[in-house]
Short mmCIF file of all heavy atoms in Angstrom, two decimals:
data_model
loop_
_atom_site.label_atom_id
_atom_site.label_comp_id
_atom_site.label_asym_id
_atom_site.label_seq_id
_atom_site.Cartn_x
_atom_site.Cartn_y
_atom_site.Cartn_z
N THR A 290 96.26 215.52 229.91
CA THR A 290 96.95 215.73 228.66
C THR A 290 96.98 217.17 228.21
O THR A 290 98.02 217.62 227.77
CB THR A 290 96.20 214.73 227.62
OG1 THR A 290 96.38 213.38 228.15
CG2 THR A 290 97.00 214.87 226.29
N LEU A 291 95.74 217.72 228.16
CA LEU A 291 95.72 219.05 227.70
C LEU A 291 96.48 220.11 228.68
O LEU A 291 97.04 221.03 228.21
CB LEU A 291 94.30 219.49 227.53
CG LEU A 291 93.61 219.27 226.15
CD1 LEU A 291 94.44 220.10 225.07
CD2 LEU A 291 93.82 217.89 225.72
N THR A 292 96.44 219.79 229.94
CA THR A 292 97.20 220.59 230.86
C THR A 292 98.62 220.56 230.65
O THR A 292 99.40 221.45 230.50
CB THR A 292 96.93 220.09 232.41
OG1 THR A 292 95.47 220.16 232.56
CG2 THR A 292 97.71 221.00 233.24
N ASP A 293 99.16 219.34 230.48
CA ASP A 293 100.56 219.00 230.03
C ASP A 293 100.91 219.70 228.75
O ASP A 293 102.04 220.29 228.64
CB ASP A 293 100.85 217.52 229.91
CG ASP A 293 100.77 216.84 231.42
OD1 ASP A 293 100.74 217.55 232.41
OD2 ASP A 293 100.94 215.63 231.42
N ALA A 294 100.06 219.66 227.89
CA ALA A 294 100.31 220.22 226.48
C ALA A 294 100.48 221.77 226.66
O ALA A 294 101.55 222.39 226.13
CB ALA A 294 99.22 220.06 225.55
N VAL A 295 99.60 222.30 227.43
CA VAL A 295 99.62 223.80 227.56
C VAL A 295 100.91 224.21 228.38
O VAL A 295 101.62 225.18 228.08
CB VAL A 295 98.35 224.25 228.18
CG1 VAL A 295 98.51 225.78 228.64
CG2 VAL A 295 97.22 224.24 227.25
N ASP A 296 101.13 223.42 229.42
CA ASP A 296 102.30 223.73 230.21
C ASP A 296 103.67 223.61 229.48
O ASP A 296 104.50 224.48 229.38
CB ASP A 296 102.41 222.68 231.35
CG ASP A 296 101.50 223.04 232.48
OD1 ASP A 296 100.98 224.18 232.52
OD2 ASP A 296 101.24 222.15 233.26
N HIS A 297 103.53 222.59 228.53
CA HIS A 297 104.79 222.44 227.65
C HIS A 297 105.21 223.70 226.87
O HIS A 297 106.30 224.15 226.77
CB HIS A 297 104.62 221.17 226.74
CG HIS A 297 105.66 221.07 225.79
ND1 HIS A 297 106.98 220.62 226.08
CD2 HIS A 297 105.75 221.16 224.40
CE1 HIS A 297 107.77 220.54 224.89
NE2 HIS A 297 107.00 220.95 223.91
N LEU A 298 104.03 224.26 226.28
CA LEU A 298 104.22 225.39 225.46
C LEU A 298 104.39 226.63 226.22
O LEU A 298 105.12 227.42 225.72
CB LEU A 298 102.98 225.39 224.48
CG LEU A 298 102.88 224.26 223.50
CD1 LEU A 298 101.53 224.33 222.77
CD2 LEU A 298 104.00 224.43 222.48
N ALA A 299 103.69 226.71 227.34
CA ALA A 299 103.84 227.90 228.14
C ALA A 299 105.22 228.06 228.69
O ALA A 299 105.81 229.13 228.84
CB ALA A 299 102.81 227.86 229.37
N ASP A 300 105.85 226.78 229.02
CA ASP A 300 107.08 226.92 229.55
C ASP A 300 108.16 227.30 228.53
O ASP A 300 109.27 227.69 228.71
CB ASP A 300 107.53 225.39 230.04
CG ASP A 300 106.87 225.01 231.28
OD1 ASP A 300 106.25 225.87 231.82
OD2 ASP A 300 106.92 223.86 231.55
N LEU A 301 107.73 227.14 227.23
CA LEU A 301 108.60 227.61 226.11
C LEU A 301 108.32 229.00 225.77
O LEU A 301 109.02 229.61 224.90
CB LEU A 301 108.33 226.74 224.81
CG LEU A 301 108.93 225.18 225.01
CD1 LEU A 301 108.40 224.44 223.84
CD2 LEU A 301 110.38 225.34 224.84
N GLY A 302 107.43 229.72 226.61
CA GLY A 302 107.33 231.08 226.40
C GLY A 302 106.16 231.53 225.57
O GLY A 302 105.97 232.70 225.22
N HIS A 303 105.48 230.59 225.07
CA HIS A 303 104.20 230.86 224.22
C HIS A 303 103.15 231.57 225.02
O HIS A 303 102.90 231.05 226.17
CB HIS A 303 103.76 229.55 223.47
CG HIS A 303 104.64 229.09 222.42
ND1 HIS A 303 104.80 229.53 221.32
CD2 HIS A 303 105.69 228.01 222.60
CE1 HIS A 303 105.78 228.91 220.65
NE2 HIS A 303 106.38 228.02 221.53
N THR A 304 102.53 232.49 224.51
CA THR A 304 101.51 233.22 225.29
C THR A 304 100.25 233.15 224.58
O THR A 304 99.16 233.53 225.15
CB THR A 304 101.94 234.67 225.59
OG1 THR A 304 102.21 235.27 224.32
CG2 THR A 304 103.09 234.78 226.47
N THR A 305 100.19 232.85 223.29
CA THR A 305 98.93 232.80 222.55
C THR A 305 98.81 231.45 221.87
O THR A 305 99.80 231.02 220.92
CB THR A 305 98.80 233.84 221.39
OG1 THR A 305 98.86 235.14 222.11
CG2 THR A 305 97.46 233.82 220.72
#
Side-chain angles (χ1 to χ4, degrees):
Chain A
T290 300
L291 270 293
T292 302
D293 288 352
V295 169
D296 281 346
H297 173 72
L298 294 167
D300 290 348
L301 287 166
H303 295 273
T304 53
T305 305

